[in-house]
Amino acid sequence: MSVNASWLRMFIEMRKRHKLDGRTLALGVQDVMFTHETAEALLAEAHIEEGIKHLKLAVEKVQKGNAPEGTKHAEEALIHLKQRGLSYASIPVANRRYHLSRNQKQFTSNPNHYMCVKDLFQMLGFSSLDTLDAFGNDQPDIEWDLCQPISKEMHNSYDLLFDIGVLEHTSDIFQALENVGNLVKPGGWIILYLPMVSPINSSMYHPNPPFYFDILSGNGFGDFDAWINWMPDWDQQNDIRTIWLNYQYNDDVYIWRPRYFTVMWFMARKMKHVGEFRPDLQNFYKEWHAGMELFGTSQEELTRTGKLMSD
């Protein structure tokens, strides 16, 4: 997968909601499927929408007799509309960096067409972006196989880590997730964007929601924010729109849709540093965080004794 317009819109919204910032790491040297000019347009769109939202709030507050709050929202709206999304400096043409991967060569042979992911995050206002990959072909900042434990010197290094379709290609996905958890600082966020339904042979795993909720809740993470994204097939993206649905643990959702891939967007904040992840049984999240007594034996006791539950 790669950074497309839908992913960027969602990232902008989640960044605002959860105040995402700081030192950032991308798993994989991510393809960006648009140009610098398109990135500017998408940022402009985001700020116009924010401005309109504040204008509506201003009118609502004034109508309810709260003029000071109305004035506050009107001023905020003007800021966004005047900036038109260009509050982050555009990158001069001479300083722009480009990226053309094997996948992107399906669409163009021009090496100066698609923008580099580092330029995108510079435009978003991030001071830096590091990349991690198992292979050196795309010149990542960190060359590391996520199936191997990350060195302790790298623990608690990042404020934000995002993955757009990497973990599902690792044979030891549990070890890879442990590495993700260790790379982020306490208080930092991870964003995992992994397929639930995709074409045959496109990945080793299709993680379902318990993979995220149960393992991460048992290993120091909380403040979950999960979304299901139905992404149009590549040959359908000019005809049908992407769909997003907020997901709560144990929601009964039919994930198959014709002409769509189904992807989980999962965000979690690191509450404490655990180090070595412990394996957890499914329903850990439900028992310990939703207040439901499902088992007679506690998860702590099961982990300690190594016994398995029986029906």
Side-chain angles (χ1 to χ4, degrees):
M1 291 187 287
S2 53
V3 178
N4 58 27
S6 180
W7 187 94
L8 180 59
R9 290 187 181 105
M10 187 63 163
F11 181 82
I12 291 170
E13 175 63 27
M14 293 299 109
R15 183 187 185 189
K16 178 179 62 180
R17 289 190 189 185
H18 299 294
K19 299 179 173 58
L20 307 177
D21 214 339
R23 192 180 181 201
T24 303
L25 177 68
L27 298 189
V29 181
Q30 294 292 337
D31 293 347
V32 179
M33 301 305 295
F34 45 79
T35 64
H36 289 81
E37 290 78 13
T38 299
E40 290 178 354
L42 289 167
L43 291 172
E45 170 193 286
H47 277 267
I48 289 170
E49 289 178 353
E50 189 71 10
I52 291 171
K53 184 187 82 172
H54 280 286
L55 280 176
K56 289 179 178 178
L57 285 171
V59 172
E60 180 184 318
K61 295 294 183 182
V62 170
Q63 288 176 341
K64 290 182 178 180
N66 193 341
E69 279 294 310
T71 301
K72 178 182 174 182
H73 282 292
E75 290 172 348
E76 190 71 23
L78 284 173
I79 291 171
H80 284 284
L81 292 172
K82 283 180 179 178
Q83 288 174 339
R84 290 186 57 81
L86 298 179
S87 55
Y88 308 125
S90 176
I91 300 173
V93 174
N95 297 335
R96 290 178 178 179
R97 293 167 290 183
Y98 300 90
H99 180 70
L100 187 63
S101 69
R102 182 173 57 184
N103 176 56
Q104 290 171 317
K105 287 179 181 177
Q106 300 177 72
F107 308 105
T108 183
S109 59
N110 181 0
N112 295 330
H113 180 74
Y114 291 118
M115 71 185 304
C116 171
V117 67
K118 292 197 174 194
D119 275 12
L120 176 61
F121 272 73
Q122 181 179 332
M123 291 178 69
L124 285 165
F126 286 81
S127 57
S128 67
L129 173 71
D130 292 337
T131 56
L132 181 151
D133 204 298
F135 306 103
N137 301 358
D138 291 323
Q139 300 179 323
D141 299 296
I142 304 166
E143 193 170 325
W144 194 270
D145 177 0
L146 287 170
C147 292
Q148 304 301 320
I150 206 82
S151 64
K152 290 187 178 180
E153 290 74 16
M154 295 183 65
H155 286 197
N156 303 312
S157 294
Y158 292 94
D159 301 288
L160 172 65
L161 179 152
F162 68 90
D163 171 15
I164 309 176
V166 171
L167 290 192
E168 74 271 22
H169 302 297
T170 59
S171 61
D172 192 345
I173 194 170
F174 184 79
Q175 178 63 65
L177 185 62
E178 177 186 294
N179 287 333
V180 166
N182 284 331
L183 284 162
V184 177
K185 302 174 184 176
W189 287 85
I190 61 172
I191 301 174
L192 304 176
Y193 186 69
L194 307 180
M196 298 173 69
V197 176
S198 65
I200 190 169
N201 297 327
S202 62
S203 61
M204 289 183 169
Y205 299 99
H206 290 91
N208 267 242
F211 171 79
Y212 308 96
F213 283 99
D214 293 335
I215 297 175
L216 290 171
S217 64
N219 288 284
F221 281 81
D223 289 349
F224 302 139
D225 195 354
W227 297 75
I228 296 177
N229 178 210
W230 285 275
M231 171 79 67
D233 289 347
W234 287 109
D235 60 349
Q236 303 289 331
Q237 293 192 4
N238 291 327
D239 302 317
I240 55 179
R241 296 179 64 85
T242 187
I243 301 168
W244 292 90
L245 175 70
N246 192 214
Y247 180 86
Q248 303 297 320
Y249 187 81
N250 229 28
D251 280 353
D252 187 10
V253 178
Y254 188 71
I255 63 174
W256 295 84
R257 287 177 183 256
R259 302 190 297 169
Y260 285 91
F261 305 129
T262 309
V263 189
M264 172 64 77
W265 169 293
F266 195 90
M267 297 184 64
R269 187 162 67 92
K270 185 172 179 176
M271 317 304 285
K272 64 179 181 179
H273 184 65
V274 170
E276 183 178 352
F277 272 28
R278 68 178 190 185
D280 284 311
L281 299 172
Q282 188 171 341
N283 287 322
F284 180 92
Y285 180 85
K286 185 188 292 185
E287 183 181 12
W288 288 88
H289 295 264
M292 297 182 68
E293 294 292 336
L294 298 181
F295 311 129
T297 305
S298 75
Q299 182 70 33
E300 289 285 354
E301 184 177 342
L302 286 169
T303 303
R304 186 170 59 252
T305 62
K307 295 179 180 177
L308 295 177
M309 292 180 297
S310 58
D311 293 333

